[in-house]
Amino acid sequence: MIFIGIDAAKDKHDCFIVNSDGEVLYDVFTIPNTLNRFNDLLLKIQSVSPDLSKTKVGLEATGHYSYNLLGFLLDKGLTTYVINPLHTNLYRKSLTLRKTKTDKVDARMIASMLMSCVDLKPYTRTLYHNQELKSLTRYRFNKVSERAKLKTSISRLVNILFPELEKLVPTLHMKSVYALLSEFPSAHHIAKAHLTRITNILYEASKGRYNRDTAIRFRDAARNSIGSVMLAKSLELKHTIKLIGELTAEIDEMETEIKHIVESLGTTVLTIPGISYTTAASILAEIGDFSNFETPDKILAFAGMSPSTYQSGRLNNCYAHMEKRGSRYLRFALYNAAKHVCNWDKTFSNYLVKKRSEGKHYNVAISHAAKKLVRLIFALEKSHLPYNPAA
């Protein structure tokens, strides 16, 4: 067997090639991040191993820096491994007590790790193409988080400019409220506005739900409001509402694309009550290739949801907490999915009630439901059968 260790970086990659006897075939050499040099690397590999099935290539997971090289290697049929930096760091420490870390050392260390670790799982084309869905779901997650922060700003600004408004509507984050505040961004502006204009804005934005009587209530409240008259805050409110509108349009576009991708996967996860397209996409994207996980417990460990353990001599940890060392996106998706499934599915609802009756906190009980959900998702993906809820 031929082992190739590659330390990937932004502009160049350091490579090291050794055989299973420990003979160095190519000492550490550097290739620029170009197609011609990728081909040079392939020629070097073919010169020492014409049969590419007898080669193993290892790269450290360095985000997008290794993505193009990874795609090239997979296209050429090379068995490639993407190694968690936490594993490589621990392996490096196991070899020496010295704090030595360079790109050349890392390339040699990755090749050595390939030779000694027999339980590493190869990176598949399924995982590679799954990166598109993962990128999309994570991008949406960040945009939704950004929008949530802006909505908090709306509440803060309204509390300064028109605090009475919050008691007149179910929530401030409605199209009708946003439409009104976009044109009249304070109690002072609403109090001076023409009643017909206020009525038209509310009627159109609410699709007829709010009429002239609502407009009168809004204007009367504005005329008796304790809200401050601050031009800067009013301007900030208008711009924040505009940004929320733009983000919402972007999120809707992303969710449409996510739906198309998930439908093309033909997953049976969607048959679970309470699992939406975006939730299913986040879970499937973060887990990737289910064949890389032998048991559901390994998925839980990957998500950082397995309990941490510590035992030394007579000391045992009595209060085990989640490790929280895996994918935070997967952990978030599973936790929220469990809450929705517990609301929609009788089996999970009863399970949650059972855990709560045992004296567990709601969040702890939900975490147990999330673990049960992982076992269900694992079974569905392995069997390709739809979920059959209990009668």
Side-chain angles (χ1 to χ4, degrees):
M1 290 294 294
I2 304 298
F3 302 93
I4 302 101
I6 302 177
D7 184 75
K10 179 180 179 181
D11 299 316
K12 52 92 176 178
H13 309 296
D14 290 286
C15 311
F16 177 73
I17 305 177
V18 64
N19 63 18
S20 52
D21 295 326
E23 179 186 357
V24 177
L25 303 178
Y26 282 98
D27 204 355
V28 180
F29 59 95
T30 302
I31 61 169
N33 199 17
T34 63
L35 180 60
N36 288 336
R37 298 314 297 269
F38 286 2
N39 285 318
D40 290 344
L41 171 62
L42 179 63
L43 290 174
K44 280 185 169 65
I45 295 172
Q46 290 174 331
S47 68
V48 296
S49 177
D51 185 2
L52 295 181
S53 65
K54 295 183 178 181
T55 63
K56 290 184 178 181
V57 185
L59 299 92
E60 192 176 59
T62 53
H64 61 279
Y65 290 147
S66 60
Y67 192 71
N68 296 326
L69 177 58
L70 178 61
F72 175 83
L73 296 171
L74 290 173
D75 285 339
K76 299 304 179 182
L78 289 157
T79 304
T80 309
Y81 299 78
V82 178
I83 306 171
N84 191 317
L86 180 62
H87 289 167
T88 57
N89 187 40
L90 292 173
Y91 186 79
R92 185 189 304 110
K93 289 180 179 179
S94 71
L95 297 178
T96 177
L97 295 176
R98 297 181 62 188
K99 292 185 177 180
T100 304
K101 186 188 184 307
T102 65
D103 293 341
K104 292 183 178 181
V105 168
D106 284 350
R108 293 192 186 97
M109 184 267 301
I110 291 170
S112 175
M113 196 171 179
L114 284 179
M115 295 173 65
S116 59
C117 297
V118 295
D119 59 341
L120 291 174
K121 300 291 185 180
Y123 199 87
T124 62
R125 293 211 63 84
T126 301
L127 286 171
Y128 183 77
H129 291 298
N130 191 64
Q131 285 292 332
E132 182 178 5
L133 184 58
K134 182 186 288 187
S135 298
L136 198 55
T137 53
R138 289 189 175 188
Y139 184 53
R140 177 191 171 275
F141 179 89
N142 293 332
K143 288 297 180 182
V144 170
S145 300
E146 186 179 342
R147 184 176 63 179
K149 292 179 181 178
L150 290 175
K151 287 184 176 182
T152 302
S153 295
I154 293 288
S155 301
R156 172 181 58 84
L157 292 168
V158 169
N159 196 44
I160 296 171
L161 300 168
F162 190 5
E164 295 80 8
L165 179 60
E166 196 167 9
K167 297 179 181 179
L168 299 175
V169 292
T171 173
L172 292 175
H173 311 294
M174 302 165 56
K175 287 185 178 180
S176 52
V177 175
Y178 281 3
L180 179 65
L181 293 177
S182 293
E183 188 164 337
F184 305 112
S186 71
H188 176 70
H189 290 90
I190 295 173
K192 293 172 60 179
H194 197 284
L195 183 60
T196 303
R197 181 56 187 157
I198 298 175
T199 303
N200 290 338
I201 292 174
L202 293 174
Y203 187 83
E204 291 175 7
S206 67
K207 296 182 179 179
R209 181 181 176 186
Y210 290 153
N211 52 25
R212 182 181 177 86
D213 292 338
T214 306
I216 292 173
R217 288 205 314 272
F218 278 27
R219 192 178 66 170
D220 289 346
R223 286 177 174 175
N224 295 288
S225 175
I226 60 170
S228 303
V229 181
M230 302 176 69
L231 178 61
K233 296 296 183 185
S234 296
L235 192 62
E236 183 182 349
L237 179 59
K238 288 179 66 175
H239 289 179
T240 304
I241 291 172
K242 184 179 179 181
L243 286 173
I244 289 175
E246 293 172 354
L247 280 174
T248 299
E250 292 174 5
I251 291 168
D252 290 343
E253 184 179 357
M254 282 183 272
E255 289 179 349
T256 300
E257 185 60 30
I258 286 171
K259 183 178 179 181
H260 290 326
I261 295 176
V262 172
E263 286 178 341
S264 68
L265 297 176
T267 179
T268 55
V269 173
L270 289 170
T271 61
I272 303 174
I275 299 290
S276 65
Y277 281 99
T278 52
T279 302
S282 297
I283 294 172
L284 296 175
E286 294 300 326
I287 293 176
D289 193 344
F290 278 80
S291 63
N292 284 340
F293 301 93
E294 296 174 0
T295 64
D297 288 340
K298 293 194 174 182
I299 295 179
L300 289 171
F302 178 70
M305 296 180 71
S306 55
S308 58
T309 55
Y310 183 84
Q311 187 275 329
S312 179
R314 296 182 179 180
L315 177 64
N316 283 284
N317 60 332
C318 301
Y319 302 100
H321 299 280
M322 280 188 188
E323 290 181 341
K324 293 187 178 180
R325 299 184 71 174
S327 168
R328 68 185 181 96
Y329 297 99
L330 177 57
R331 195 161 55 247
F332 179 85
L334 289 172
Y335 188 84
N336 281 278
K339 289 195 288 187
H340 291 296
V341 173
C342 285
N343 286 333
W344 287 93
D345 183 74
K346 184 177 180 181
T347 301
F348 278 85
S349 178
N350 292 338
Y351 185 76
L352 180 64
V353 171
K354 175 177 176 292
K355 290 299 177 182
R356 291 286 283 148
S357 66
E358 294 173 0
K360 298 187 186 306
H361 187 275
Y362 175 78
N363 290 339
V364 177
I366 285 292
S367 69
H368 281 278
K371 293 175 183 178
K372 181 179 177 66
L373 179 62
V374 168
R375 292 191 288 270
L376 173 60
I377 291 173
F378 184 83
L380 294 182
E381 285 297 306
K382 288 291 185 179
S383 65
H384 303 290
L385 296 174
Y387 174 58
N388 185 20

